Amino acid sequence: MGLAVIKESVASLDLARVNRELAGAPAEDVVRWALGLELRPFMSTSFGPNAALMLDLVSGIDPGVPVVWVDTGYNLRDTYIVAEKLMTTLPLNMQIYTPRMTAERWNKVYGGVPLDDPELHAQFTRAIKLEPFERALAELRPELWLSGIRRGDTEFRSTLDIVS
């Protein structure tokens, strides 16, 4: 689990001390600590394999926390099935953002997901993934980001602490 504290007024948090104190704490305690900061929270989800745990945890503590899902239109059928199941069984404050350019339109104009063209792939990432997420941030103006990332997923994530 990762937490990003965005608000400048808490920039003075002693992150080393906070991370030492939260090390080994149950995830529920970490979420309660973060929400106790009384910042404008949000969490993001991809409805991937491990999403249900974090969604259940946060919505069980505060079902009002906005949950942002960027539905790119390129998810697997199984992802949509899981998303629908979780959205109907958990008390989620869903905020679903879609790209301004639909997957269908992108596919017709550019021929699908560009795997062999780095420049076009960067354009795809910007239009399909980043633009809707940046719109969510601009509209919700969160000060605290609750995230269920796993340290072992990437080399970069392995460098992150509980609170950053």
Side-chain angles (χ1 to χ4, degrees), residues 82-155:
V82 168
E84 291 302 316
K85 179 74 171 171
L86 291 173
M87 287 189 286
T88 58
T89 58
L90 295 174
L92 301 174
N93 179 8
M94 288 304 305
Q95 308 291 315
I96 301 172
Y97 287 80
T98 57
R100 295 195 192 285
M101 178 181 272
T102 65
E104 184 67 21
R105 182 172 168 211
W106 179 276
N107 291 342
K108 297 289 186 204
V109 173
Y110 297 104
V113 179
L115 301 176
D116 299 329
D117 182 338
E119 192 172 309
L120 189 56
H121 193 272
Q123 182 181 343
F124 170 83
T125 299
R126 178 107 196 91
I128 304 300
K129 297 178 179 182
L130 297 179
E131 180 279 321
F133 191 72
E134 289 170 353
R135 193 166 7 106
L137 292 177
E139 290 176 12
L140 296 171
R141 297 183 4 227
E143 299 166 325
L144 176 74
W145 182 359
L146 300 163
S147 170
I149 63 173
R150 296 168 41 125
R151 286 187 185 149
D153 284 349
T154 67
E155 186 177 326

Side-chain angles (χ1 to χ4, degrees), residues 22-89:
L22 294 174
E28 184 175 354
D29 292 353
V30 175
V31 171
R32 286 187 190 284
W33 172 86
L35 294 176
L37 294 171
E38 298 184 6
L39 301 171
R40 233 180 354 267
F42 93 115
M43 68 177 296
S44 56
T45 187
S46 64
F47 286 110
N50 301 307
L53 178 64
M54 189 69 176
L55 292 168
D56 184 48
L57 174 67
V58 174
S59 68
I61 294 170
D62 183 352
V65 171
V67 178
V68 172
W69 180 34
V70 173
D71 179 2
T72 63
Y74 285 94
N75 293 300
L76 299 173
R77 181 174 186 274
D78 287 349
T79 301
Y80 288 107
I81 290 169
V82 168
E84 291 302 316
K85 179 74 171 171
L86 291 173
M87 287 189 286
T88 58
T89 58

